[in-house]
Amino acid sequence: MTAAPATVPCVVCRRDLEAPPQGGTVVCPQCGEANVLAASGQAAGPRCPNCGEPVAVDAPACPACGELLGPLTDDLDSAAPRSPRSGAADATLGAIVKDAARDLARHWWLLGLSALAAELLWIMLFVSQVLLGVGGVYLGGALDGWRGEGAVWGFFLGYGIGALAALPVNAAAPLGLANLHLAAVRRVLPRGGRSGEGSRFAPLWRARGRRRMLLCGGLVLLAFGGQAVAALFVMDAVESDLRRATGSYDVVQTCWIAAIALPALIAWLLFWPLPFLIVDRPHLRHVRPLKACLHLPRGHWGGYVAIGLVSAVALVAGGLPALVGLPEIGLWLCPLTLPVTGPMAGLLIAHVYDRLAHSGADREEPAPLDLEVG
């Protein structure tokens, strides 16, 4: 009978980690701490989450930088894990773009392949939903005698069934991408299978919180859908009057597009940190990550909205070749543009989230000890 692999608790969050028999460094998938293990499977000792220097297990503060160590409460579940800092919370937009470009240059193949895989996955899901909708058209049309309404309802029924079946995948994919980009920003990516830390792509499937993402993401989509439907009803009521007043069909068509795009943009600007909060703060249960999205940018709403707009432009730019010009050429260009603009957008919002998260921790926790006495 094969013995169960030895485990050792993480020195920061105490999660059980599988200890390789030969020792080495094991990165905790929950808090990102790099645990150095001896051949015996015991942790070599904790490190400061701010500067990374070794510290004593019971040390109240880091002797190198003065960072306070250990949770400030006896309830470990209520204390969010601390991670290495990536920069000041009030960094300028230019500095954030520069840092994101640096990380993209360092990990371009890893992030690009992950974005390409996610893009192909979503394309396959969309095609599957459309095929189910087409099947619903034939089934509903046959049952209705092809009088019109049966085919329409059949399409929406088939497409809706496909969309519901794809929800778990649509919840897991953003979590994996958020976990990967956050690990790249915090420089805790696994170094490969030979190092004992697992595959470089491991953060994609190590992300936790799929049920919370399914719940919170479903509520966001429901709110977005309600706004879009209300806007479409308003447009349907005023379309004829608007066409007579403007005398241009292009203006009316632009208003129809805005009626769908504007609610989507509002939802993105408010809740873009949602997958980062879910993977980074496991103590936020149920729908609390939605509330945390609105509390996270306190005092930094300008930068919060600005980075949301910049990242939205980057994501749209990746799919722009398929929307303008020659669609038959654009569809072939999208797999070349999205693996560049997608990771750049992900790194931008990961950097801003990391800064905002540390800014919030600094507001709620005591400042690091000042070891220099003047």
Side-chain angles (χ1 to χ4, degrees), residues 5 23 77 113 146-148 194 201 223 233 289 292 314 322 352 359 364-365 374:
D77 291 335
L113 286 178
W146 296 101
R147 289 190 293 269
R194 294 183 179 179
F201 295 92
F233 271 112
V352 174
S359 176
E364 297 171 3
E365 301 176 6

Side-chain angles (χ1 to χ4, degrees), residues 105-129:
R106 182 182 292 116
H107 306 293
W108 63 270
W109 66 272
L110 175 66
L111 300 177
L113 286 178
S114 301
L116 181 60
E119 178 188 356
L120 295 177
L121 175 64
W122 278 318
I123 289 175
M124 289 189 294
L125 290 176
F126 176 73
V127 171
S128 301
Q129 294 167 28

Side-chain angles (χ1 to χ4, degrees), residues 167-191:
L167 279 179
V169 179
N170 285 325
L175 282 181
L177 291 173
N179 199 31
L180 181 69
H181 287 84
L182 199 58
V185 165
R186 293 175 173 174
R187 302 185 182 183
V188 292
L189 282 171
R191 291 179 294 179

